[in-house]
Amino acid sequence: EMARNFANKVWNASRFVLMNLTIDRCELPAAEKLEREDKWILSRLNKLIKEVTENLESYEIGVASAKVYDFLWDTFCDWYIELTKTRLNGEDREANLTAQNVLCYTLIQLLKLLHPFMPFITEEIYQALPHGDEFIMTSAWPEYREDLDFPQEESAMESVMETIGAIRARRA
């Protein structure tokens, strides 16, 4: 049941991204054009790539899959997608394109990380996204990139998320 719910979450998140894409090619904008939440998700994704790669190389398959699961469910779906909705629906074309590119890039990298665990659904979604490779299986494995490490923005977003969490807890 948990796996079914997760597959459904991946599918629905991908549908949301696809419904909001108007780009033909997925390219990350220059760092100065990225919003704080963009830098936060890219920095977190970058760390995830490094950790999952290390876990898989150490045959810690359960740990690797759990990390991707948690990131996709909590970080990507519950936070980042929600944070981009205003830019996707807003009037600022540059902010809209930046959000689209970061959403697309993040989803593609997550699909590549998920591919060893869920090959059929990840390949199906990958084929619908703008990408340069014929198949996800033959595409390059995601690699850690130092230029996508934004510790200050990551820390600032964590503070914002803690504040929102405290407000939600207080309301409850």
Side-chain angles (χ1 to χ4, degrees):
E1 188 176 328
M2 189 171 129
R4 182 201 66 212
N5 292 343
F6 181 67
N8 193 46
K9 188 76 161 180
V10 171
W11 191 260
N12 288 334
S14 300
R15 274 193 17 221
F16 174 81
V17 172
L18 286 165
M19 287 185 336
N20 287 285
L21 286 185
T22 60
I23 55 176
D24 295 330
R25 209 168 77 197
C26 181
E27 295 178 325
L28 281 181
E32 58 272 0
K33 292 185 177 183
L34 297 172
E35 298 288 334
R36 177 185 295 161
E37 61 266 21
D38 299 330
K39 291 179 179 180
W40 166 75
I41 194 74
L42 292 171
S43 189
R44 295 285 308 270
L45 175 66
N46 206 29
K47 287 179 182 174
L48 176 73
I49 289 168
K50 184 178 183 181
E51 291 173 5
V52 168
T53 301
E54 289 170 356
N55 292 140
L56 290 176
E57 288 172 351
S58 302
Y59 300 103
E60 297 170 331
I61 296 166
V63 174
S65 65
K67 286 180 180 178
V68 178
Y69 174 98
D70 290 340
F71 185 92
L72 193 136
W73 195 289
D74 297 329
T75 307
F76 185 64
C77 293
D78 290 352
W79 284 101
Y80 187 69
I81 285 178
E82 293 302 320
L83 290 168
T84 60
K85 285 181 178 178
T86 55
R87 289 191 293 156
L88 292 171
N89 297 320
E91 299 296 321
D92 185 350
R93 181 73 178 143
E94 188 173 331
N96 180 288
L97 289 174
T98 299
Q100 286 185 53
N101 277 291
V102 175
L103 274 168
C104 184
Y105 175 83
T106 304
L107 181 58
I108 286 173
Q109 299 308 306
L110 286 171
L111 290 174
K112 289 178 179 183
L113 293 175
L114 272 174
H115 188 68
F117 310 106
M118 305 170 73
F120 301 108
I121 191 170
T122 54
E123 186 68 59
E124 183 71 24
I125 296 166
Y126 186 75
Q127 291 304 318
L129 292 165
H131 61 278
D133 302 307
E134 192 172 346
F135 301 106
I136 196 171
M137 183 186 294
T138 58
S139 67
W141 182 257
E143 292 184 11
Y144 178 83
R145 294 175 43 186
E146 296 222 5
D147 62 318
L148 296 180
D149 190 23
F150 302 105
Q152 291 174 325
E153 287 81 357
E154 201 172 334
S155 177
M157 272 304 297
E158 297 296 332
S159 296
V160 169
M161 292 166 62
E162 286 175 18
T163 302
I164 292 170
I167 291 169
R168 288 177 178 165
R170 181 78 175 131
R171 276 193 204 163

